[in-house]
Amino acid sequence: MSKTSKVGIIGAGNVGADVANALVLLGRCVRVVLYDRTLSKAEGQVWDIEDSIPLLKEMEIIPSNQYEDLADSDIIIVTAGVQPKLGQTRLDTLSDNAEIIRSTIKELDRVAPNSIVIIISNPVDVLTRIAQATSTRAENLIFGSGTVLDTARLRYQLGKQLNVAKQDIHAYVIGEHGDSQFVVWSSAFIGGILLTEFPIPQGATLEQIQQEYAQLTRKRGHNIFERKGNTSYGISTVVCQLVDTILRDEKQIFPVSARADSNYGVGSEVVLGLPCIIGSTGIERQLLLSRNSHEQRLLEESANKLNEAYNFLHN
Ligand code: NAD
């Protein structure tokens, strides 16, 4: 991490503010700019967060409604947009958020053409595709949070069920950050052991566990939303991890929203959550996860759904 590392955040709502707070608490960079079209909102969030700085590592956090303040950011996190209302899916917010993303990306291309841009706003996969199509920057510099949060949710719950450290659960949720996501069970490992060979708790079957935990993961965001009206703590930690792997060039693997490698068999246009190596140049490489024929069909269904949503907007 450089002495001047700077992270910009667009949108000072629940997610943007929690990302800023988490970056400060975890000391992930030295300067944060929190941008919102409403300056007083950005100021309120920043003033609240900066009260903690005297108790932490030295940091600077700046509220703004001027895109120019984002110049020279190493990374810019885009959280601006409307949230789905209760009963709506993430795709229901597409047309409103597509417009916000297009105008935001044009401004970011003007003031910060070399920054790495991470899209968080939903529906994140389609918005990332729109952002890539709008932006003049290289495609490796612009990606979405994809199914990183869903994968963390799965690892947490499965770790508890199997009584194993969550860090040792190597299983990915891929596809849409939404209802058509799925777990690639055929290449799930616990430690170095294939899940299919791992001792399952008495009274349960592998099939039951797979069904229950895929469903629990898929519904988790909705279940949180139903109870508290938004989700923000999980995603803000996801963002901190992505920021860290970029600034330290750690080359960690995350299933981010990226344009599918043609070897996945879903064309080379659709953007969806797939495992990629993330380092100082953003997406350094996309990995080809092995999958059985059922999982391939699920991937194709997820890709079709996302293509339809993108094409609907462009017809
Ligand atoms: P929010 O309504 O609390 O905040 C949105 C903020 O965006 C508001 O402060 C608003 O003023 C600002 N905004 C709107 N248009 C803008 C523009 N053109 N320029 C600058 N700022 C603008 O919503 P939230 O709870 O913070 O959620 C933000 C987005 O993040 C939503 O789309 C939500 O669905 C998404 N989200 C994604 C994930 C994920 O895993 N990818 C997780 C949680 C939330």
Side-chain angles (χ1 to χ4, degrees):
M1 190 172 88
S2 86
K3 284 189 183 142
T4 55
S5 53
K6 173 175 173 181
V7 176
I9 302 164
I10 311 289
N14 295 305
V15 175
D18 279 350
V19 167
N21 192 41
L23 288 170
V24 169
L25 285 177
L26 294 173
R28 288 292 197 246
C29 54
V30 296
R31 191 170 309 145
V32 175
V33 176
L34 183 59
Y35 171 99
D36 201 282
R37 56 184 176 180
T38 311
L39 180 61
S40 59
K41 186 161 189 185
E43 283 177 341
Q45 303 283 22
V46 163
W47 295 349
D48 192 9
I49 293 168
E50 72 184 356
D51 284 350
S52 61
I53 292 178
L55 307 165
L56 301 166
K57 287 201 186 337
E58 194 49 62
M59 292 267 304
E60 191 181 9
I61 174 162
I62 302 158
S64 173
N65 64 348
Q66 302 295 318
Y67 277 104
E68 285 69 17
D69 290 336
L70 295 151
D72 301 324
S73 297
D74 296 285
I75 305 168
I76 298 175
I77 314 296
V78 180
T79 76
V82 294
Q83 289 194 73
K85 296 185 183 64
L86 197 59
Q88 284 189 317
T89 68
R90 296 171 179 106
L91 281 174
D92 291 327
T93 59
L94 178 56
S95 38
D96 288 338
N97 286 348
E99 228 14 79
I100 294 174
I101 290 296
R102 278 197 204 95
S103 58
T104 301
I105 294 295
K106 282 180 191 154
E107 292 293 343
L108 297 185
D109 279 359
R110 181 175 66 79
V111 298
N114 301 317
S115 310
I116 294 176
V117 174
I118 308 178
I119 308 291
I120 307 297
S121 312
N122 275 318
V124 66
D125 305 293
V126 185
L127 293 183
T128 301
R129 184 166 169 185
I130 291 169
Q132 287 179 345
T134 307
S135 183
T136 51
R137 77 195 68 214
E139 212 171 275
N140 56 300
L141 298 180
I142 183 160
F143 61 88
S145 56
T147 44
V148 181
L149 179 58
D150 310 278
T151 297
R153 286 170 174 159
L154 174 74
R155 289 170 64 186
Y156 179 72
Q157 299 295 341
L158 202 56
K160 275 207 305 193
Q161 164 71 0
L162 299 179
N163 205 16
V164 175
K166 289 77 188 165
Q167 294 80 354
D168 286 323
I169 307 280
H170 302 289
Y172 288 102
V173 178
I174 67 168
E176 179 197 12
H177 172 58
D179 291 342
S180 68
Q181 64 176 240
F182 63 98
V183 183
V184 190
W185 291 116
S186 68
S187 53
F189 284 82
I190 314 297
I193 302 169
L194 259 176
L195 175 63
T196 47
E197 287 161 23
F198 194 81
I200 300 295
Q202 274 195 342
T205 67
L206 184 60
E207 214 167 63
Q208 278 166 351
I209 288 179
Q210 290 179 348
Q211 264 181 18
E212 185 181 333
Y213 285 87
Q215 178 74 347
L216 198 155
T217 303
R218 186 178 301 112
K219 294 279 170 223
R220 197 64 170 177
H222 175 78
N223 289 339
I224 298 169
F225 201 89
E226 224 175 25
R227 286 160 175 77
K228 61 169 275 198
N230 74 299
T231 65
S232 62
Y233 297 133
I235 188 62
S236 55
T237 308
V238 162
V239 170
C240 283
Q241 293 309 99
L242 291 170
V243 164
D244 205 37
T245 191
I246 293 168
L247 293 180
R248 292 177 193 273
D249 194 21
E250 279 183 349
K251 306 193 195 299
Q252 286 194 50
I253 298 168
F254 290 103
V256 295
S257 304
R259 200 150 64 86
D261 183 306
S262 59
N263 290 311
Y264 269 110
V266 288
S268 53
E269 300 297 331
V270 69
V271 169
L272 72 182
L274 290 169
C276 295
I277 298 176
I278 308 293
S280 60
T281 59
I283 294 185
E284 307 219 326
R285 188 146 56 95
Q286 188 173 114
L287 303 174
L288 210 55
L289 205 54
S290 67
R291 58 225 175 271
N292 61 28
S293 57
H294 173 62
E295 290 157 355
Q296 178 61 26
R297 212 167 39 251
L298 293 177
L299 184 65
E300 288 165 14
E301 283 169 17
S302 198
N304 288 343
K305 182 180 171 193
L306 291 167
N307 276 330
E308 274 171 28
Y310 183 84
N311 293 334
F312 170 76
L313 212 60
H314 292 81
N315 283 327

